[in-house]
Short mmCIF file of all heavy atoms in Angstrom, two decimals:
data_model
loop_
_atom_site.label_atom_id
_atom_site.label_comp_id
_atom_site.label_asym_id
_atom_site.label_seq_id
_atom_site.Cartn_x
_atom_site.Cartn_y
_atom_site.Cartn_z
N MET A 1 107.28 106.51 100.22
CA MET A 1 106.11 106.61 101.10
C MET A 1 104.89 106.79 100.45
O MET A 1 103.78 106.30 100.88
CB MET A 1 106.43 107.92 101.97
CG MET A 1 105.49 108.23 102.99
SD MET A 1 105.60 106.89 104.24
CE MET A 1 104.37 107.44 105.41
N LYS A 2 104.88 107.50 99.21
CA LYS A 2 103.66 107.66 98.43
C LYS A 2 103.14 106.32 97.96
O LYS A 2 101.95 106.15 97.75
CB LYS A 2 103.89 108.59 97.24
CG LYS A 2 104.33 109.90 97.72
CD LYS A 2 103.22 110.92 97.36
CE LYS A 2 103.89 112.27 97.80
NZ LYS A 2 102.96 113.33 97.81
N GLU A 3 104.05 105.36 97.68
CA GLU A 3 103.55 104.04 97.31
C GLU A 3 102.71 103.37 98.41
O GLU A 3 101.71 102.73 98.02
CB GLU A 3 104.80 103.18 96.93
CG GLU A 3 105.49 103.63 95.69
CD GLU A 3 106.69 104.64 96.04
OE1 GLU A 3 106.94 104.80 97.30
OE2 GLU A 3 107.17 105.29 95.17
N ILE A 4 103.20 103.47 99.60
CA ILE A 4 102.45 102.88 100.73
C ILE A 4 101.14 103.53 100.87
O ILE A 4 100.08 102.80 101.08
CB ILE A 4 103.30 102.90 101.98
CG1 ILE A 4 104.58 102.04 101.84
CG2 ILE A 4 102.43 102.47 103.19
CD1 ILE A 4 105.55 102.21 102.89
N ILE A 5 101.05 104.81 100.81
CA ILE A 5 99.79 105.50 100.93
C ILE A 5 98.81 105.11 99.82
O ILE A 5 97.70 104.97 100.06
CB ILE A 5 100.07 107.08 100.97
CG1 ILE A 5 100.76 107.46 102.27
CG2 ILE A 5 98.77 107.89 100.83
CD1 ILE A 5 101.23 108.87 102.25
N ALA A 6 99.33 105.05 98.60
CA ALA A 6 98.51 104.64 97.47
C ALA A 6 97.95 103.26 97.81
O ALA A 6 96.73 102.98 97.46
CB ALA A 6 99.28 104.65 96.19
N ILE A 7 98.74 102.28 98.18
CA ILE A 7 98.25 100.94 98.49
C ILE A 7 97.28 100.92 99.60
O ILE A 7 96.16 100.26 99.49
CB ILE A 7 99.46 99.96 98.79
CG1 ILE A 7 100.34 99.75 97.65
CG2 ILE A 7 98.95 98.69 99.30
CD1 ILE A 7 101.59 99.09 97.85
N VAL A 8 97.47 101.65 100.66
CA VAL A 8 96.47 101.68 101.72
C VAL A 8 95.19 102.40 101.22
O VAL A 8 94.06 101.99 101.62
CB VAL A 8 97.03 102.54 102.94
CG1 VAL A 8 95.98 102.90 103.93
CG2 VAL A 8 98.18 101.80 103.59
N GLY A 9 95.31 103.34 100.42
CA GLY A 9 94.11 104.00 99.81
C GLY A 9 93.26 103.09 98.94
O GLY A 9 92.09 103.00 99.10
N TRP A 10 93.99 102.26 98.14
CA TRP A 10 93.33 101.29 97.27
C TRP A 10 92.58 100.30 98.19
O TRP A 10 91.37 99.95 97.83
CB TRP A 10 94.27 100.58 96.35
CG TRP A 10 94.67 101.37 95.12
CD1 TRP A 10 95.87 102.02 94.83
CD2 TRP A 10 93.83 101.69 94.00
NE1 TRP A 10 95.76 102.62 93.68
CE2 TRP A 10 94.55 102.43 93.12
CE3 TRP A 10 92.48 101.36 93.72
CZ2 TRP A 10 93.95 102.92 91.92
CZ3 TRP A 10 91.98 101.83 92.52
CH2 TRP A 10 92.73 102.58 91.64
N VAL A 11 93.20 99.78 99.15
CA VAL A 11 92.63 98.72 100.01
C VAL A 11 91.36 99.32 100.74
O VAL A 11 90.31 98.66 100.80
CB VAL A 11 93.63 98.13 100.96
CG1 VAL A 11 92.95 97.32 102.01
CG2 VAL A 11 94.72 97.39 100.13
N ALA A 12 91.56 100.46 101.28
CA ALA A 12 90.51 101.14 102.08
C ALA A 12 89.29 101.48 101.10
O ALA A 12 88.14 101.27 101.56
CB ALA A 12 90.95 102.38 102.75
N GLY A 13 89.60 101.95 99.99
CA GLY A 13 88.55 102.29 99.02
C GLY A 13 87.80 101.05 98.57
O GLY A 13 86.56 101.03 98.53
N ILE A 14 88.51 99.98 98.34
CA ILE A 14 87.85 98.77 97.89
C ILE A 14 86.94 98.17 99.03
O ILE A 14 85.85 97.78 98.84
CB ILE A 14 88.88 97.73 97.45
CG1 ILE A 14 89.44 98.14 96.07
CG2 ILE A 14 88.29 96.33 97.25
CD1 ILE A 14 90.66 97.34 95.66
N GLN A 15 87.50 98.18 100.26
CA GLN A 15 86.67 97.66 101.38
C GLN A 15 85.39 98.53 101.62
O GLN A 15 84.38 98.01 101.98
CB GLN A 15 87.51 97.62 102.65
CG GLN A 15 88.52 96.50 102.60
CD GLN A 15 87.92 95.19 102.48
OE1 GLN A 15 87.03 94.76 103.18
NE2 GLN A 15 88.48 94.39 101.61
N GLY A 16 85.57 99.82 101.47
CA GLY A 16 84.40 100.70 101.60
C GLY A 16 83.38 100.50 100.49
O GLY A 16 82.15 100.47 100.83
N ALA A 17 83.93 100.32 99.31
CA ALA A 17 82.92 100.11 98.27
C ALA A 17 82.24 98.80 98.35
O ALA A 17 81.00 98.67 98.18
CB ALA A 17 83.67 100.11 96.89
N LEU A 18 82.93 97.67 98.71
CA LEU A 18 82.37 96.40 98.94
C LEU A 18 81.37 96.46 100.14
O LEU A 18 80.20 95.83 100.05
CB LEU A 18 83.42 95.32 99.25
CG LEU A 18 84.22 94.85 98.09
CD1 LEU A 18 85.31 93.99 98.57
CD2 LEU A 18 83.39 94.14 97.06
N GLY A 19 81.63 97.13 101.13
CA GLY A 19 80.73 97.22 102.30
C GLY A 19 79.49 97.92 101.93
O GLY A 19 78.35 97.49 102.28
N ALA A 20 79.62 99.11 101.29
CA ALA A 20 78.46 99.82 100.92
C ALA A 20 77.55 99.12 99.87
O ALA A 20 76.37 99.00 100.00
CB ALA A 20 78.84 101.19 100.37
N ALA A 21 78.18 98.52 98.92
CA ALA A 21 77.44 97.71 97.92
C ALA A 21 76.77 96.56 98.49
O ALA A 21 75.58 96.33 98.06
CB ALA A 21 78.42 97.32 96.75
N GLY A 22 77.38 95.89 99.45
CA GLY A 22 76.65 94.78 100.11
C GLY A 22 75.57 95.23 100.88
O GLY A 22 74.51 94.47 100.89
N ARG A 23 75.66 96.36 101.53
CA ARG A 23 74.46 96.85 102.30
C ARG A 23 73.42 97.36 101.40
O ARG A 23 72.25 97.22 101.71
CB ARG A 23 74.94 98.05 103.22
CG ARG A 23 75.78 97.65 104.42
CD ARG A 23 74.92 97.36 105.62
NE ARG A 23 75.77 96.91 106.72
CZ ARG A 23 75.77 97.49 107.88
NH1 ARG A 23 74.95 98.45 108.17
NH2 ARG A 23 76.57 96.94 108.79
N ILE A 24 73.70 97.97 100.29
CA ILE A 24 72.74 98.53 99.46
C ILE A 24 72.03 97.46 98.57
O ILE A 24 70.86 97.43 98.35
CB ILE A 24 73.33 99.68 98.52
CG1 ILE A 24 73.74 100.87 99.41
CG2 ILE A 24 72.34 100.07 97.45
CD1 ILE A 24 74.63 101.89 98.81
N PHE A 25 72.82 96.57 97.98
CA PHE A 25 72.33 95.61 97.02
C PHE A 25 72.18 94.23 97.53
O PHE A 25 71.58 93.30 96.91
CB PHE A 25 73.27 95.51 95.85
CG PHE A 25 73.32 96.82 95.09
CD1 PHE A 25 74.60 97.47 95.04
CD2 PHE A 25 72.28 97.32 94.40
CE1 PHE A 25 74.67 98.66 94.34
CE2 PHE A 25 72.37 98.55 93.77
CZ PHE A 25 73.59 99.22 93.72
N GLY A 26 72.70 93.97 98.75
CA GLY A 26 72.59 92.57 99.38
C GLY A 26 71.99 92.68 100.76
O GLY A 26 71.46 93.77 101.14
N ASP A 27 72.06 91.55 101.51
CA ASP A 27 71.53 91.58 102.86
C ASP A 27 72.60 91.84 103.90
O ASP A 27 72.23 92.22 104.97
CB ASP A 27 70.91 90.18 103.14
CG ASP A 27 71.97 89.04 102.90
OD1 ASP A 27 73.01 89.25 102.25
OD2 ASP A 27 71.65 87.94 103.32
N LYS A 28 73.84 91.71 103.62
CA LYS A 28 74.95 92.18 104.54
C LYS A 28 76.11 92.64 103.82
O LYS A 28 76.26 92.47 102.55
CB LYS A 28 75.33 90.93 105.46
CG LYS A 28 75.95 89.83 104.72
CD LYS A 28 76.34 88.68 105.63
CE LYS A 28 77.18 87.77 104.84
NZ LYS A 28 77.90 86.97 105.69
N PRO A 29 77.08 93.38 104.45
CA PRO A 29 78.16 93.92 103.74
C PRO A 29 79.05 92.86 103.20
O PRO A 29 79.17 91.83 103.84
CB PRO A 29 78.89 94.80 104.76
CG PRO A 29 78.10 94.61 106.07
CD PRO A 29 77.00 93.78 105.88
N TRP A 30 79.73 93.20 102.17
CA TRP A 30 80.74 92.28 101.52
C TRP A 30 82.10 92.79 102.02
O TRP A 30 82.25 93.86 102.46
CB TRP A 30 80.69 92.30 100.13
CG TRP A 30 79.34 91.87 99.52
CD1 TRP A 30 78.43 91.00 100.10
CD2 TRP A 30 78.74 92.34 98.37
NE1 TRP A 30 77.40 90.98 99.32
CE2 TRP A 30 77.50 91.82 98.23
CE3 TRP A 30 79.09 93.32 97.41
CZ2 TRP A 30 76.62 92.11 97.27
CZ3 TRP A 30 78.27 93.53 96.36
CH2 TRP A 30 76.98 92.97 96.27
N GLY A 31 83.08 92.01 101.93
CA GLY A 31 84.51 92.41 102.17
C GLY A 31 84.95 91.90 103.51
O GLY A 31 84.27 91.04 104.19
N LEU A 32 86.10 92.26 103.96
CA LEU A 32 86.69 91.74 105.13
C LEU A 32 86.39 92.46 106.43
O LEU A 32 86.26 91.83 107.47
CB LEU A 32 88.22 91.85 104.93
CG LEU A 32 89.16 91.09 105.86
CD1 LEU A 32 88.77 89.56 105.90
CD2 LEU A 32 90.54 91.30 105.60
N LEU A 33 86.06 93.76 106.36
CA LEU A 33 85.78 94.50 107.54
C LEU A 33 84.46 94.05 108.30
O LEU A 33 84.42 94.12 109.51
CB LEU A 33 85.63 96.00 107.18
CG LEU A 33 86.83 96.71 106.74
CD1 LEU A 33 86.64 98.13 106.43
CD2 LEU A 33 87.99 96.59 107.78
N GLN A 34 83.57 93.50 107.57
CA GLN A 34 82.27 93.05 108.23
C GLN A 34 82.54 91.85 109.11
O GLN A 34 81.65 91.58 109.96
CB GLN A 34 81.24 92.81 107.11
CG GLN A 34 81.58 91.74 106.08
CD GLN A 34 81.07 90.36 106.45
OE1 GLN A 34 80.30 90.16 107.30
NE2 GLN A 34 81.64 89.40 105.79
N LYS A 35 83.62 91.18 108.96
CA LYS A 35 83.91 90.03 109.86
C LYS A 35 84.40 90.51 111.19
O LYS A 35 84.24 89.71 112.12
CB LYS A 35 84.95 89.15 109.18
CG LYS A 35 84.53 88.55 107.88
CD LYS A 35 85.54 87.54 107.37
CE LYS A 35 85.07 86.92 106.08
NZ LYS A 35 83.91 86.08 106.20
N TRP A 36 84.88 91.77 111.29
CA TRP A 36 85.40 92.16 112.54
C TRP A 36 84.55 93.23 113.32
O TRP A 36 84.43 93.28 114.47
CB TRP A 36 86.83 92.71 112.42
CG TRP A 36 87.87 91.74 111.96
CD1 TRP A 36 88.00 90.50 112.38
CD2 TRP A 36 88.76 91.92 110.97
NE1 TRP A 36 89.03 89.91 111.70
CE2 TRP A 36 89.48 90.72 110.81
CE3 TRP A 36 89.09 92.99 110.05
CZ2 TRP A 36 90.59 90.59 109.87
CZ3 TRP A 36 90.18 92.79 109.08
CH2 TRP A 36 90.82 91.59 109.10
N TRP A 37 83.96 94.13 112.49
CA TRP A 37 83.13 95.23 113.05
C TRP A 37 81.77 95.34 112.30
O TRP A 37 81.70 95.02 111.13
CB TRP A 37 83.97 96.54 112.85
CG TRP A 37 85.24 96.59 113.57
CD1 TRP A 37 85.45 96.67 114.96
CD2 TRP A 37 86.46 96.66 112.98
NE1 TRP A 37 86.77 96.63 115.17
CE2 TRP A 37 87.45 96.60 114.04
CE3 TRP A 37 86.99 96.54 111.68
CZ2 TRP A 37 88.81 96.57 113.88
CZ3 TRP A 37 88.34 96.58 111.46
CH2 TRP A 37 89.27 96.60 112.54
N ASP A 38 80.86 95.96 113.04
CA ASP A 38 79.53 96.13 112.45
C ASP A 38 79.57 97.74 112.10
O ASP A 38 79.33 98.54 113.03
CB ASP A 38 78.42 95.89 113.42
CG ASP A 38 77.14 96.12 112.74
OD1 ASP A 38 76.96 95.97 111.45
OD2 ASP A 38 76.12 96.39 113.52
N ILE A 39 79.88 98.12 110.90
CA ILE A 39 80.01 99.42 110.45
C ILE A 39 78.74 99.82 109.63
O ILE A 39 78.27 99.09 108.80
CB ILE A 39 81.26 99.55 109.51
CG1 ILE A 39 82.56 99.12 110.18
CG2 ILE A 39 81.42 101.01 108.99
CD1 ILE A 39 83.70 99.02 109.35
N PRO A 40 78.23 101.06 109.97
CA PRO A 40 76.99 101.47 109.21
C PRO A 40 77.41 101.94 107.80
O PRO A 40 78.53 102.14 107.43
CB PRO A 40 76.48 102.78 110.02
CG PRO A 40 77.68 103.20 110.83
CD PRO A 40 78.58 101.96 111.02
N THR A 41 76.39 102.03 106.97
CA THR A 41 76.53 102.27 105.51
C THR A 41 77.24 103.61 105.34
O THR A 41 78.12 103.66 104.41
CB THR A 41 75.17 102.25 104.80
OG1 THR A 41 74.62 100.92 105.12
CG2 THR A 41 75.29 102.38 103.36
N PRO A 42 76.87 104.66 105.98
CA PRO A 42 77.54 105.95 105.79
C PRO A 42 79.03 105.87 106.06
O PRO A 42 79.85 106.51 105.40
CB PRO A 42 76.86 106.95 106.71
CG PRO A 42 75.45 106.38 106.89
CD PRO A 42 75.68 104.91 106.85
N ALA A 43 79.43 105.04 107.03
CA ALA A 43 80.89 104.93 107.33
C ALA A 43 81.53 104.18 106.17
O ALA A 43 82.73 104.50 105.91
CB ALA A 43 80.99 104.23 108.67
N TYR A 44 80.92 103.21 105.58
CA TYR A 44 81.48 102.57 104.48
C TYR A 44 81.66 103.50 103.32
O TYR A 44 82.65 103.50 102.65
CB TYR A 44 80.63 101.35 103.99
CG TYR A 44 80.86 100.09 104.84
CD1 TYR A 44 79.84 99.44 105.44
CD2 TYR A 44 82.06 99.42 104.72
CE1 TYR A 44 80.01 98.29 106.19
CE2 TYR A 44 82.30 98.22 105.41
CZ TYR A 44 81.22 97.74 106.11
OH TYR A 44 81.37 96.54 106.76
N LEU A 45 80.69 104.36 103.07
CA LEU A 45 80.85 105.35 101.97
C LEU A 45 82.00 106.39 102.30
O LEU A 45 82.72 106.68 101.42
CB LEU A 45 79.45 106.13 101.83
CG LEU A 45 78.31 105.24 101.23
CD1 LEU A 45 77.02 106.00 101.28
CD2 LEU A 45 78.67 104.74 99.87
N ALA A 46 82.10 106.77 103.52
CA ALA A 46 83.13 107.71 103.89
C ALA A 46 84.51 106.99 103.68
O ALA A 46 85.51 107.59 103.21
CB ALA A 46 82.99 108.09 105.39
N LEU A 47 84.61 105.70 104.05
CA LEU A 47 85.75 104.94 103.95
C LEU A 47 86.21 104.77 102.45
O LEU A 47 87.32 104.91 102.04
CB LEU A 47 85.66 103.48 104.54
CG LEU A 47 86.86 102.59 104.55
CD1 LEU A 47 87.97 103.16 105.37
CD2 LEU A 47 86.45 101.21 104.98
N PHE A 48 85.16 104.63 101.58
CA PHE A 48 85.38 104.63 100.10
C PHE A 48 85.91 105.99 99.61
O PHE A 48 86.90 106.01 98.86
CB PHE A 48 84.06 104.29 99.42
CG PHE A 48 84.14 104.51 97.99
CD1 PHE A 48 84.99 103.62 97.08
CD2 PHE A 48 83.52 105.49 97.32
CE1 PHE A 48 85.16 103.82 95.80
CE2 PHE A 48 83.59 105.68 95.94
CZ PHE A 48 84.37 104.88 95.16
N ILE A 49 85.29 107.06 100.05
CA ILE A 49 85.76 108.39 99.67
C ILE A 49 87.24 108.69 100.20
O ILE A 49 88.03 109.06 99.37
CB ILE A 49 84.83 109.43 100.07
CG1 ILE A 49 83.41 109.26 99.38
CG2 ILE A 49 85.43 110.81 99.85
CD1 ILE A 49 82.29 110.06 99.93
N VAL A 50 87.55 108.42 101.39
CA VAL A 50 88.85 108.61 101.86
C VAL A 50 89.88 107.73 101.19
O VAL A 50 90.95 108.21 100.84
CB VAL A 50 88.89 108.44 103.42
CG1 VAL A 50 90.27 108.44 103.94
CG2 VAL A 50 87.99 109.55 104.13
N GLY A 51 89.51 106.51 101.07
CA GLY A 51 90.53 105.56 100.35
C GLY A 51 90.73 105.94 98.90
O GLY A 51 91.80 105.94 98.47
N ALA A 52 89.68 106.43 98.23
CA ALA A 52 89.90 106.91 96.87
C ALA A 52 90.72 108.14 96.75
O ALA A 52 91.58 108.27 95.93
CB ALA A 52 88.51 107.20 96.17
N ALA A 53 90.60 109.05 97.71
CA ALA A 53 91.37 110.31 97.74
C ALA A 53 92.76 109.99 98.07
O ALA A 53 93.77 110.49 97.38
CB ALA A 53 90.79 111.24 98.82
N LEU A 54 93.09 109.01 98.99
CA LEU A 54 94.42 108.62 99.23
C LEU A 54 95.03 107.94 98.15
O LEU A 54 96.25 108.19 97.74
CB LEU A 54 94.53 107.72 100.45
CG LEU A 54 94.33 108.34 101.79
CD1 LEU A 54 94.17 107.22 102.87
CD2 LEU A 54 95.40 109.29 102.14
N ALA A 55 94.30 107.08 97.36
CA ALA A 55 94.86 106.45 96.27
C ALA A 55 95.20 107.38 95.11
O ALA A 55 96.24 107.28 94.45
CB ALA A 55 93.86 105.33 95.75
N VAL A 56 94.39 108.29 94.85
CA VAL A 56 94.61 109.33 93.82
C VAL A 56 95.80 110.23 94.19
O VAL A 56 96.63 110.44 93.35
CB VAL A 56 93.29 110.12 93.53
CG1 VAL A 56 93.73 111.38 92.69
CG2 VAL A 56 92.34 109.35 92.91
N TRP A 57 95.88 110.61 95.41
CA TRP A 57 96.95 111.42 95.83
C TRP A 57 98.31 110.65 95.78
O TRP A 57 99.35 111.22 95.27
CB TRP A 57 96.77 111.88 97.28
CG TRP A 57 97.87 112.75 97.78
CD1 TRP A 57 98.08 114.07 97.47
CD2 TRP A 57 98.77 112.51 98.84
NE1 TRP A 57 99.13 114.60 98.15
CE2 TRP A 57 99.57 113.76 98.95
CE3 TRP A 57 98.96 111.38 99.67
CZ2 TRP A 57 100.54 113.75 99.93
CZ3 TRP A 57 100.06 111.51 100.64
CH2 TRP A 57 100.80 112.67 100.65
N GLY A 58 98.30 109.45 96.22
CA GLY A 58 99.53 108.62 96.09
C GLY A 58 99.98 108.30 94.66
O GLY A 58 101.16 108.41 94.33
N GLU A 59 98.90 107.97 93.89
CA GLU A 59 99.34 107.66 92.44
C GLU A 59 99.83 108.97 91.63
O GLU A 59 100.80 108.84 90.91
CB GLU A 59 98.09 107.07 91.71
CG GLU A 59 97.65 105.81 92.20
CD GLU A 59 98.69 104.64 91.90
OE1 GLU A 59 99.36 104.73 90.98
OE2 GLU A 59 98.67 103.68 92.69
N THR A 60 99.21 110.08 91.99
CA THR A 60 99.66 111.28 91.29
C THR A 60 101.13 111.74 91.80
O THR A 60 101.94 112.23 91.05
CB THR A 60 98.75 112.48 91.45
OG1 THR A 60 98.51 112.69 92.89
CG2 THR A 60 97.48 112.25 90.74
N GLY A 61 101.28 111.47 93.11
CA GLY A 61 102.66 111.71 93.65
C GLY A 61 103.70 110.84 92.95
O GLY A 61 104.83 111.25 92.80
N LYS A 62 103.46 109.64 92.70
CA LYS A 62 104.36 108.68 92.14
C LYS A 62 104.65 109.07 90.72
O LYS A 62 105.80 109.10 90.25
CB LYS A 62 103.72 107.23 92.15
CG LYS A 62 103.75 106.54 93.52
CD LYS A 62 103.49 105.13 93.49
CE LYS A 62 102.37 104.66 92.59
NZ LYS A 62 102.04 103.23 92.74
N LYS A 63 103.57 109.50 90.00
CA LYS A 63 103.78 109.97 88.63
C LYS A 63 104.63 111.18 88.59
O LYS A 63 105.54 111.44 87.70
CB LYS A 63 102.48 110.18 87.92
CG LYS A 63 101.75 108.87 87.62
CD LYS A 63 100.51 109.19 86.94
CE LYS A 63 99.74 107.88 86.67
NZ LYS A 63 98.35 108.10 86.07
N ARG A 64 104.38 112.13 89.45
CA ARG A 64 105.20 113.41 89.56
C ARG A 64 106.55 113.09 89.83
O ARG A 64 107.46 113.71 89.30
CB ARG A 64 104.48 114.30 90.61
CG ARG A 64 104.97 115.75 90.51
CD ARG A 64 104.15 116.69 91.44
NE ARG A 64 102.75 116.44 91.30
CZ ARG A 64 101.94 116.48 92.40
NH1 ARG A 64 102.47 116.71 93.59
NH2 ARG A 64 100.66 116.26 92.25
N ALA A 65 106.88 112.16 90.74
CA ALA A 65 108.28 111.83 91.10
C ALA A 65 109.01 111.25 89.87
O ALA A 65 110.16 111.46 89.67
CB ALA A 65 108.31 110.88 92.29
N ARG A 66 108.24 110.30 89.10
CA ARG A 66 108.85 109.79 88.00
C ARG A 66 109.18 110.84 86.84
O ARG A 66 110.15 110.69 86.13
CB ARG A 66 107.94 108.70 87.28
CG ARG A 66 108.15 107.35 88.10
CD ARG A 66 107.37 106.24 87.28
NE ARG A 66 106.51 105.73 88.22
CZ ARG A 66 105.15 105.45 87.92
NH1 ARG A 66 104.62 105.70 86.79
NH2 ARG A 66 104.36 105.01 88.95
N SER A 67 108.27 111.81 86.74
CA SER A 67 108.53 112.78 85.69
C SER A 67 109.71 113.72 86.03
O SER A 67 110.33 114.22 85.16
CB SER A 67 107.28 113.60 85.41
OG SER A 67 106.95 114.47 86.57
N ARG A 68 109.96 113.94 87.32
CA ARG A 68 111.04 114.80 87.75
C ARG A 68 112.37 113.96 87.55
O ARG A 68 113.37 114.61 87.36
CB ARG A 68 110.93 115.10 89.24
CG ARG A 68 109.96 116.24 89.42
CD ARG A 68 110.01 116.66 90.86
NE ARG A 68 108.62 116.87 91.33
CZ ARG A 68 108.28 117.04 92.59
NH1 ARG A 68 109.24 116.90 93.51
NH2 ARG A 68 107.00 117.18 92.93
N ALA A 69 112.39 112.67 87.59
CA ALA A 69 113.66 111.93 87.59
C ALA A 69 114.18 111.81 86.14
O ALA A 69 113.74 112.27 85.17
CB ALA A 69 113.42 110.53 88.16
#
C-alpha cells in the first residue's frame, strides 16, 4: 500500500510543481492538469506540498519495511 501512496505522491508533487512553475515563470501552467481544470497558483503549490509529503511518507515506510524484513 505504501508503494501506491508513494507513486501517487510523486505524480501529484510533480504536477503541482509543473503547474506552479508554469504560472510563475511562463504564461500558463505546465503539466497535465491544466488541460482539464483551471487551477490557481496557490492550489498548485498546495498540491506540490501534499504530493511531496505523501511521497516522503511512502518512501520512508518502504525503507522501514525493508529494514524489518
Side-chain angles (χ1 to χ4, degrees):
M1 185 68 177
K2 299 247 184 196
E3 294 87 11
I4 295 171
I5 292 173
I7 291 170
V8 168
W10 279 110
V11 171
I14 290 169
Q15 289 299 312
L18 284 173
R23 289 269 176 126
I24 293 169
F25 300 114
D27 56 345
K28 65 178 190 164
W30 304 326
L32 191 61
L33 293 179
Q34 57 96 15
K35 296 188 180 291
W36 297 314
W37 299 289
D38 184 28
I39 301 173
T41 305
Y44 276 120
L45 293 173
L47 185 63
F48 169 69
I49 291 169
V50 169
L54 285 174
V56 167
W57 184 68
E59 294 293 332
T60 57
K62 287 191 314 186
K63 287 180 185 176
R64 196 174 310 141
R66 270 190 243 136
S67 68
R68 282 188 222 163

